[in-house]
Amino acid sequence: MKLSGAAHLVGEHIDTDAIIPAPFLVTTDPVELGKHCMEGLEPGWNKRIQKGDFIVAGRNFGCGSSREHAPVAILGAGVSVVIAHSYARIFYRNSFNMGLPLLEVGDDISRIQDGDPLEVDIITGQILNKRTGETIAAQPVPPFMQGILNAGGLVNYVKQRLTA
Amino acid sequence: MRHAVAHTLAMKLLQAASDEVIKEAGQIIRCRVSLVLANDITAPLAIKSFRQMGAATVFDKTKIALVMDHFTPNKDIASAEQVRGIREFAQEQDILHYYEGGDCGVEHALLPELGLVGPGDVVVGADSHTCTYGGLCAFATGMGSTDIAGAMALGETWFKVPQTIYVQIDGELSAYVGAKDLILHTIGKTGVDGARYKALEFGGSTVAALSVEGRLTMANMAIEAGGKVGLFAADAKTLAFAKAHGHTATQEIAPDAGAPYDEIIKIDAASLSPQVACPHLPDNVRGVDELAAEHIVVNQSVIGSCTNGRIEDLREAAAILKGRKVKKSVRCVVLPATPKIWTQALREGLLETFMEAGCIVGPPTCGPCLGGHMGILAKGERAIATTNRNFKGRMGHLESEVYLSSPSLAAAAAVAGEIVHPASL
């Protein structure tokens, strides 16, 4: 499945307080959380997102809290995929559970600049940078987690186990 | 137990709860859980996912803990509504360990105190500081709400067996240097992502000499190095703690000889001065001697949280504040982490010391740590706190700052109005 959109660069060690600050954790509504996405980085950040755009981040994206509101807010803001050098562990797990695809590309992250038009294949992990014509290959998702994705996320995975 | 391959503590604890044979780090295994935890922020999403999974009942109503500690006593209508929903779920499922109001404390201080976690347990919690219980030799780790919902329904979850960084700490600690300084120094060395996807295992003579409370303080911050868990072997002290709190574990647990460590970090504890994490990341660590020369003025001092809200921490802060006054320009907020700690502090006269010094003594709550309530920073304000995170905007306005320290440094800063070495008071 190929997705097209623009890259929105954020920095390194973007923590969950930056993604969705604690005062907004009094709801679980994706639309409401999406309005405050990245507000801990920059108030009004979500307004620059066109539906389907990408967050492009440095090292350790999503560090900090276990709050699942972080991937929910990102999805709520209209972001389709996050591409980063690397991810914090809990955020990585939460995102797949919530159906937010993450691509991990390591040092190749430097080949993407703010505003670059990208075409992303979330199955193969291939990222085409339409500005430069370069293709970047993300690390493959482990087979066990592909199983969860194939089941349609963790909710369906557990549903299948409960009825088995 | 002997294994075909030598096991680190992380491997050993996971192996005891899994039917699959653990051969190496990186393996993904299914594992039984001893306890599943969520709080007033994370439980609402967990309950939503639990319903969507089609689950009718939790796997064991005695092995779920729901602790209403972040926005409680409820700060507004929205947070009160969230708690109402969780309370109704707890009643419907007949959850034994639901805590709100007078029996509620900061979750990671409360559960060890109630004997709900202990050596050999595998605990998953929808809170990143669930790793605290590694101080008791439990494999305990933070996850998101939907993972927790799965564990509540199935009584098991999946783990990638982590690689381990062994942190060996030897030497005698100087005055005013303790567990918080050791963990801040460690994070300063690893960086905030140095232990990403890995376990930290702590050992050495300094660690052996630490109290169980000190080990809980250290394990609490493993996540600030990106770690999955921060583990300590279960020795005689751990077992005595477990027994005193009604936990059933009786076996010491140590890593196997020749366990496969990914990396070994050695720390000379004797050379350490009190440590401070400067804004805006927990790995931005400097010695207080160096910082004191910069006269960093503080507006607020927070003594409490799952990192340093236990009785030892309050005693440490009170020893500094006894007979002294909090500077007029500083708000010093003291939050004993559980009702039991609160009562103990009352009996020992610590609360009187705090009040006479001019502190604000509040109820057990996570409030100010995450900028929730009861101690929020205005634009340009600066706090020193015994909490675990100093991310930008963590305690309030985006243009505020948080410094992390031990209770004695936070108390000393409250008196001096700036960050100082307690010995200089």
Side-chain angles (χ1 to χ4, degrees):
Chain A
M1 190 168 70
K2 287 185 178 169
L3 302 167
S4 291
H8 296 276
L9 253 63
V10 294
E12 309 222 304
H13 307 297
I14 297 295
D15 59 77
T16 48
D17 283 73
I19 298 170
I20 184 75
F24 305 118
L25 303 181
V26 290
T27 176
T28 58
D29 178 37
V31 176
E32 200 51 41
L33 290 167
K35 286 181 194 163
H36 303 289
C37 184
M38 292 291 173
E39 198 157 314
L41 189 68
E42 183 192 317
W45 182 92
N46 71 311
K47 293 197 176 72
R48 68 177 68 172
I49 296 295
Q50 301 287 320
K51 194 164 173 52
D53 279 355
F54 310 106
I55 287 176
V56 175
R59 287 173 192 273
N60 200 27
F61 184 76
C63 60
S65 162
S66 72
R67 62 187 73 158
E68 207 165 81
H69 311 67
V72 172
I74 291 170
L75 284 166
V79 171
S80 61
V81 180
V82 181
I83 303 162
H85 177 284
S86 51
Y87 298 93
R89 190 189 61 81
I90 304 175
F91 179 84
Y92 185 82
R93 211 172 151 136
N94 282 347
S95 296
F96 280 95
N97 288 344
M98 291 292 94
L100 172 66
L102 306 181
L103 296 177
E104 190 165 23
V105 299
D107 291 337
D108 276 346
I109 201 70
S110 65
R111 293 162 65 190
I112 305 174
Q113 291 177 12
D114 195 40
D116 278 356
L118 306 179
E119 191 177 273
V120 175
D121 187 326
I122 56 169
I123 305 296
T124 64
Q126 298 287 309
I127 303 160
L128 172 67
N129 187 337
K130 292 197 267 194
R131 179 180 61 85
T132 62
E134 287 180 319
T135 299
I136 301 167
Q139 284 175 22
V141 175
F144 184 90
M145 299 193 62
Q146 276 178 19
I148 291 177
L149 279 179
N150 290 340
L154 190 71
V155 163
N156 285 332
Y157 175 83
V158 174
K159 200 187 257 181
Q160 286 171 10
R161 288 280 310 279
L162 285 172
T163 52
Chain B
M1 196 196 296
R2 285 186 58 80
H3 313 284
V5 289
H7 278 176
T8 61
L9 273 181
M11 295 164 104
K12 210 167 202 176
L13 293 166
L14 289 176
Q15 183 64 86
S18 180
D19 296 329
E20 296 166 63
V21 178
I22 296 179
K23 294 174 185 149
E24 58 188 1
Q27 212 177 323
I28 290 179
I29 56 156
R30 289 208 326 232
C31 198
R32 292 177 291 278
V33 296
S34 326
L35 189 79
V36 184
L37 162 74
N39 59 47
D40 52 324
I41 289 179
T42 57
L45 271 172
I47 293 165
K48 198 169 166 182
S49 292
F50 185 84
R51 304 276 193 223
Q52 287 169 348
M53 285 166 180
T57 54
V58 297
F59 82 105
D60 186 335
K61 65 180 185 180
T62 68
K63 292 183 177 175
I64 313 280
L66 299 173
V67 186
M68 306 300 103
D69 56 358
H70 277 62
F71 290 151
T72 57
N74 285 128
K75 73 175 180 102
D76 57 14
I77 294 168
S79 61
E81 289 294 332
Q82 289 208 133
V83 169
R84 183 171 62 86
I86 303 162
R87 189 189 308 126
E88 286 168 3
F89 177 78
Q91 284 166 354
E92 170 203 304
Q93 295 285 326
D94 200 17
I95 303 277
L96 186 61
H97 300 293
Y98 174 81
Y99 299 101
E100 182 196 346
D103 62 357
C104 187
V106 172
E107 52 196 333
H108 308 308
L110 185 70
L111 301 195
E113 188 182 277
L114 293 172
L116 291 179
V117 293
D121 287 347
V122 175
V123 184
V124 292
D127 187 279
S128 61
H129 292 105
T130 302
C131 54
T132 308
Y133 318 131
L136 286 165
C137 200
F139 189 97
T141 194
M143 290 181 173
S145 297
T146 298
D147 267 317
I148 294 316
M152 288 201 306
L154 299 173
E156 63 166 53
T157 189
W158 65 271
F159 291 109
K160 189 169 173 180
V161 178
Q163 292 183 316
T164 294
I165 299 174
Y166 185 73
V167 184
Q168 185 177 339
I169 311 177
D170 292 296
E172 204 169 317
L173 295 166
S174 311
Y176 303 112
V177 181
K180 184 63 167 289
D181 306 289
L182 292 174
I183 190 62
L184 288 177
H185 182 73
T186 304
I187 296 163
K189 275 178 109 80
T190 60
V192 287
D193 64 347
R196 214 166 42 87
Y197 301 145
K198 293 178 184 175
L200 286 167
E201 189 179 308
F202 296 93
S205 60
T206 317
V207 165
L210 275 184
S211 66
V212 169
E213 291 197 333
R215 296 174 194 173
L216 291 168
T217 294
M218 289 184 69
N220 174 271
M221 290 189 73
I223 180 71
E224 304 327 324
K228 183 181 243 172
V229 285
L231 291 168
F232 292 73
D235 59 10
K237 275 186 202 173
T238 324
L239 295 178
F241 182 99
K243 190 178 177 189
H245 295 87
H247 192 272
T248 54
T250 54
Q251 295 290 313
E252 291 195 9
I253 308 169
D256 290 337
Y261 295 114
D262 189 50
E263 189 186 335
I264 293 175
I265 295 174
K266 290 192 176 175
I267 291 171
D268 172 20
S271 68
L272 286 186
S273 64
Q275 305 282 295
V276 179
C278 302
H280 290 291
L281 282 175
D283 66 359
N284 190 12
V285 177
R286 295 166 68 189
V288 74
D289 300 326
E290 184 191 332
L291 274 181
E294 295 175 17
H295 301 290
I296 297 163
V297 171
V298 299
N299 310 98
Q300 179 165 296
S301 171
V302 177
I303 299 164
S305 86
C306 57
T307 319
N308 284 114
R310 285 173 281 268
I311 193 70
E312 269 189 16
D313 303 312
L314 300 184
R315 286 178 190 144
E316 190 182 309
I320 303 287
L321 290 163
K322 181 96 182 159
R324 295 195 171 100
K325 287 280 183 197
V326 170
K327 194 158 182 169
K328 183 75 181 158
S329 54
V330 183
R331 307 175 296 273
C332 184
V333 182
V334 182
L335 302 173
T338 69
K340 193 173 169 190
I341 295 166
W342 214 100
T343 309
Q344 180 75 16
L346 178 70
R347 287 197 184 121
E348 292 184 16
L350 307 182
L351 299 190
E352 196 173 355
T353 298
F354 294 137
M355 293 309 285
E356 283 178 353
C359 299
I360 304 151
V361 178
T365 177
C366 305
C369 173
L370 75 163
H373 62 148
M374 302 195 65
I376 306 298
L377 301 176
K379 183 177 180 176
E381 284 195 323
R382 188 182 288 135
I384 186 165
T386 68
T387 56
N388 41 45
R389 283 195 177 131
N390 58 351
F391 300 151
K392 196 174 169 225
R394 171 78 175 174
M395 202 175 270
H397 197 279
L398 271 180
E399 291 174 44
S400 61
E401 291 183 340
V402 179
Y403 287 72
L404 306 176
S405 79
S406 68
S408 55
L409 252 69
V415 172
E418 62 179 63
I419 298 176
V420 294
H421 194 300
S424 72
L425 286 179

